[in-house]
Amino acid sequence: MKITPLDRWIKEKIGYKGKKDFKSELDNYILNKLHQNIKYVKENSIFYKNHLKNTNKISSFKDFEKIPFTTDLDIRKNPGHFLCVSPSHISRIVTLRTSGTTGENKRIFFTKEDQELTIDFFKIGMSTLVEEKDKVLILLPGEREGSVGDLLGKALKRLGVKVYIYGPVHNSEKVLEIIKNRKINSLVGIPIQILSLSRYKKSKEEIKLKSILLSTDYASNTVIKEIEKTFNCKVFDHYGMTEMGLGGGVECEALKGYHLREADLYFEIIDPITKEKLPNGKWGEVVFTTLTRKGMPLIRYKTGDISRIINTPCLCGTYLRRLDKIIFRKKEGVLLGDIEILTIGELDDILFSINELMDFKAVVTKEEEKDCLTIYIDTKLTRYKELLVHIYNRLYEFDLIKELIKRRKLTLKIKGRMRKENYFNNGIQKRKIIDKRNK
Ligand SMILES: [Zn+2]
């Protein structure tokens, strides 16, 4: 098994000479960067000047743990106050729209140098699964300069890889044609879109892939397994969010957790209740601090993602830590019957195991004082009444839903529509359960 290329890359980035062990040199590097960064944001950002007014020198990780968190809401209130450079130095602004009632959109700013760091990470991350002369089809938005597909394309070209940027999948058959005709052997795309490709792929088609990278959204194990099986290749998962500078971590050949971009980002896991930093192995909220970002550095940013640092060394042989799969996204869970939280990941696991299902949307409403969960399904079947019943039963087998229905706290409805064309969800935002109560 090949060691994660992040190992060598991070050693180079921190100037590791091999005099001390890697762990202590990496810790020293991170501590030093944290200290410099705090000084930098206090001098340059309006928000942090005030937010960190009681913070001084950072001499230890313990000192750092006393620093207040930065939240999603802080950014939404006034993104411009996070800027550490003059607006003329910003080359890319990403606007993240919020569907909630709070209204304000979140803006994330990047300088040319910040984007260069992302390209560099993408390059090294992709070298886990492709090499020179491979042909990669990017199924992520890439039209605009600085978009994820554009940066990924630039990174792959530096690896000597042939790149085709297609964008999100609107038409599965067309994409499968391209893969066949251009002899593509690797894909990067959104989990459920790749799943749709795998469900449209007919076994006789001559498609031979060596690897697939899933990105942008949560990929449930059911989805990953099916894609692996249909395309008969390795499926790697990537963890990241715009706030991290798109890339956060990527799996190695062991396919057991994400190796992290540790020279650019410092990750902590905190207890969601006490807010204390947790030791390796414990589940909690992922918090990160940018170490090298210039335009809009973030200090102890709460992601809302629940995961843990895996306690045991990786099979690939690196010392680098691994982040486990995100088991839950705080922002994506909905409270049902005032007692149970349901997540889109749980629904994905149950529903995508049903082959006739192409896509679904989950909406929660209030009906006669009870919560009502409606699942709208897309299927290519012309007669789908039986499928609706099957889906109802599958969901009813899920303890959480069963309990709530039994206690008369939940109504479950399944509605279907037939999709003639090979249309599939082309949204690139992270999927979630839509909550329409009290709105
Ligand atoms: Zn590994």
Side-chain angles (χ1 to χ4, degrees):
M1 183 180 302
K2 196 171 79 178
I3 187 168
T4 171
L6 266 69
D7 187 280
R8 186 176 51 87
W9 180 65
I10 290 174
K11 281 176 179 159
E12 271 168 24
K13 283 192 66 136
I14 70 167
Y16 177 65
K17 302 270 190 327
K19 282 182 186 153
K20 268 195 259 169
D21 65 295
F22 185 20
K23 181 185 180 328
S24 30
E25 284 207 26
L26 182 58
D27 281 351
N28 278 343
Y29 165 90
I30 291 171
L31 207 51
N32 195 17
K33 285 281 181 200
L34 291 174
H35 174 63
Q36 286 170 13
N37 213 9
I38 298 290
K39 197 162 164 273
Y40 176 75
V41 296
K42 281 181 74 174
E43 280 168 9
N44 297 292
S45 130
I46 298 168
F47 173 80
Y48 282 120
K49 199 172 282 173
N50 179 51
H51 193 65
L52 301 180
K53 58 178 183 288
N54 300 321
T55 303
N56 293 308
K57 191 172 162 42
I58 302 296
S59 318
S60 67
F61 287 107
K62 279 269 165 266
D63 287 346
F64 187 71
E65 285 164 34
K66 292 179 194 127
I67 292 181
F69 298 105
T70 304
T71 66
D72 181 70
L73 194 65
D74 291 330
I75 300 181
R76 270 193 274 146
K77 271 188 201 151
N78 203 332
H81 282 182
F82 280 80
L83 273 187
C84 283
V85 295
S86 96
S88 62
H89 284 99
I90 295 299
S91 60
R92 167 89 175 148
I93 304 171
V94 181
T95 304
L96 302 165
R97 294 181 204 290
T98 36
S99 53
T101 42
T102 38
E104 298 299 319
N105 287 330
K106 193 160 54 173
R107 285 203 187 82
I108 312 291
F109 303 91
F110 299 100
T111 64
K112 201 98 211 131
E113 294 76 20
D114 295 335
Q115 290 184 298
E116 190 52 45
L117 290 169
T118 299
I119 298 174
D120 196 34
F121 170 68
F122 281 170
K123 179 183 148 195
I124 210 73
M126 286 306 291
S127 72
T128 313
L129 58 145
V130 290
E131 57 196 350
E132 223 182 315
K133 298 203 174 76
D134 278 337
K135 290 180 178 173
V136 179
L137 184 65
I138 300 178
L139 302 169
L140 300 172
E143 277 179 8
R144 293 174 62 177
E145 178 154 8
S147 59
V148 58
D150 174 58
L151 297 181
L152 189 56
K154 284 177 175 147
L156 285 164
K157 277 177 196 153
R158 288 183 196 176
L159 279 174
V161 167
K162 189 112 176 107
V163 192
Y164 301 92
I165 302 174
Y166 178 84
V169 182
H170 296 275
N171 183 326
S172 302
E173 255 169 46
K174 199 171 153 195
V175 172
L176 289 167
E177 274 303 299
I178 293 172
I179 297 174
K180 204 164 69 182
N181 296 341
R182 298 198 172 165
K183 298 194 166 56
I184 299 289
N185 64 354
S186 181
L187 303 177
V188 182
I190 300 161
I192 61 157
Q193 296 201 344
I194 303 279
L195 179 74
S196 109
L197 285 184
S198 81
R199 289 192 174 176
Y200 270 100
K201 179 184 173 292
K202 295 171 197 83
S203 52
K204 60 180 190 300
E205 273 169 344
E206 304 147 27
I207 289 176
K208 283 200 178 65
L209 298 181
K210 67 186 261 191
S211 57
I212 295 175
L213 180 75
L214 302 177
S215 184
T216 313
D217 202 358
Y218 170 85
S220 77
N221 285 331
T222 314
V223 169
I224 294 176
K225 279 208 188 98
E226 183 175 332
I227 295 172
E228 236 165 28
K229 205 172 145 217
T230 318
F231 286 109
N232 191 23
C233 71
K234 282 208 159 175
V235 178
F236 297 79
D237 198 7
H238 167 254
Y239 173 59
M241 56 174 68
T242 307
E243 295 91 319
M244 281 174 195
L246 303 167
V250 68
E251 288 185 320
C252 65
E253 284 187 356
L255 303 175
K256 292 257 160 56
Y258 315 101
H259 287 301
L260 299 164
R261 191 179 163 186
E262 296 195 67
D264 287 327
L265 299 166
Y266 172 57
F267 285 90
E268 298 169 275
I269 303 290
I270 60 151
D271 184 311
I273 308 288
T274 65
K275 313 291 181 216
E276 304 260 317
K277 187 183 163 184
L278 291 170
N280 290 352
K282 295 269 187 240
W283 296 93
E285 182 170 354
V286 179
V287 168
F288 73 87
T289 299
T290 61
L291 300 174
T292 47
R293 195 90 58 79
K294 286 292 170 228
M296 185 183 185
L298 295 171
I299 311 291
R300 305 200 86 199
Y301 181 74
K302 290 175 83 212
T303 61
D305 291 344
I306 305 295
S307 184
R308 62 171 181 167
I309 299 293
I310 298 172
N311 237 343
T312 49
C314 185
L315 289 172
C316 82
T318 179
Y319 152 72
L320 291 175
R321 302 187 300 166
R322 277 172 303 154
L323 184 74
D324 213 327
K325 262 192 105 66
I326 306 303
I327 50 162
F328 177 61
R329 283 203 162 105
K330 271 164 111 185
K331 292 165 207 151
E332 284 164 25
V334 291
L335 189 64
L336 293 181
D338 293 327
I339 45 169
E340 298 278 9
I341 290 172
L342 179 72
T343 67
I344 191 84
E346 288 167 324
L347 290 179
D348 279 358
D349 264 330
I350 302 167
L351 296 176
F352 282 129
S353 62
I354 302 165
N355 211 22
E356 293 78 13
L357 183 83
M358 298 312 297
D359 194 7
F360 74 89
K361 192 167 87 175
V363 181
V364 179
T365 49
K366 204 87 180 167
E367 277 184 20
E368 296 164 2
E369 301 300 300
K370 264 203 293 187
D371 286 331
C372 177
L373 172 66
T374 310
I375 309 288
Y376 296 90
I377 60 142
D378 287 342
T379 174
K380 50 182 177 179
L381 296 179
T382 40
R383 291 182 185 179
Y384 53 75
K385 282 253 158 57
E386 289 81 3
L387 181 64
L388 298 186
V389 176
H390 181 61
I391 289 176
Y392 188 95
N393 286 336
R394 289 295 281 271
L395 286 169
Y396 190 79
E397 280 162 19
F398 184 49
D399 285 346
L400 185 158
I401 290 176
K402 190 177 186 169
E403 262 315 293
L404 289 170
I405 294 176
K406 273 189 179 165
R407 293 198 207 174
R408 300 180 184 282
K409 284 183 176 292
L410 181 74
T411 313
L412 178 63
K413 289 183 182 171
I414 318 290
K415 293 187 174 173
R417 64 179 162 181
M418 205 256 295
R419 287 285 186 187
K420 251 192 180 150
E421 340 104 66
N422 42 19
Y423 164 89
F424 208 72
N425 183 327
N426 56 30
I428 53 146
Q429 284 188 334
K430 295 191 197 303
R431 293 159 61 251
K432 60 179 183 184
I433 299 171
I434 301 158
D435 191 349
K436 288 190 173 169
R437 295 168 298 185
N438 310 320
K439 276 174 198 166

